[in-house]
Amino acid sequence: MREAITLARKLRPDIVLMDFTLPDGTGLEATQAILATLPDTKIVFLTVHDDDETLFNAIRAGAVGF
């Protein structure tokens, strides 16, 4: 999670492809942290999860796609 946040802040990407499971946290936490400093960055989750609750959690965190 920390690496994703650090790289996003350094590289300032237009799009981030995110997973829910990260070595030191969750993709939801990373999404919220990235969007707090880079609100124009679009985050899309790529994952094997296919349940509605997981999708809604990603959207609530600020993701634009799943």
Side-chain angles (χ1 to χ4, degrees):
M1 178 181 92
R2 282 177 264 153
E3 182 179 12
I5 296 166
T6 299
L7 286 172
R9 289 178 179 163
K10 177 182 176 184
L11 300 173
R12 305 182 64 79
D14 293 325
I15 299 172
V16 172
L17 299 178
M18 185 69 72
D19 194 357
F20 282 94
T21 306
L22 300 176
D24 59 346
T26 70
L28 296 174
E29 295 167 324
T31 295
Q32 292 169 333
I34 291 168
L35 292 176
T37 57
L38 301 168
D40 293 331
T41 298
K42 306 299 183 220
I43 299 180
V44 176
F45 275 81
L46 295 178
T47 183
V48 297
H49 297 281
D50 63 356
D51 62 279
D52 289 342
E53 187 63 27
T54 302
L55 165 65
F56 293 135
N57 286 337
I59 300 302
R60 280 187 213 110
V64 297
F66 182 86

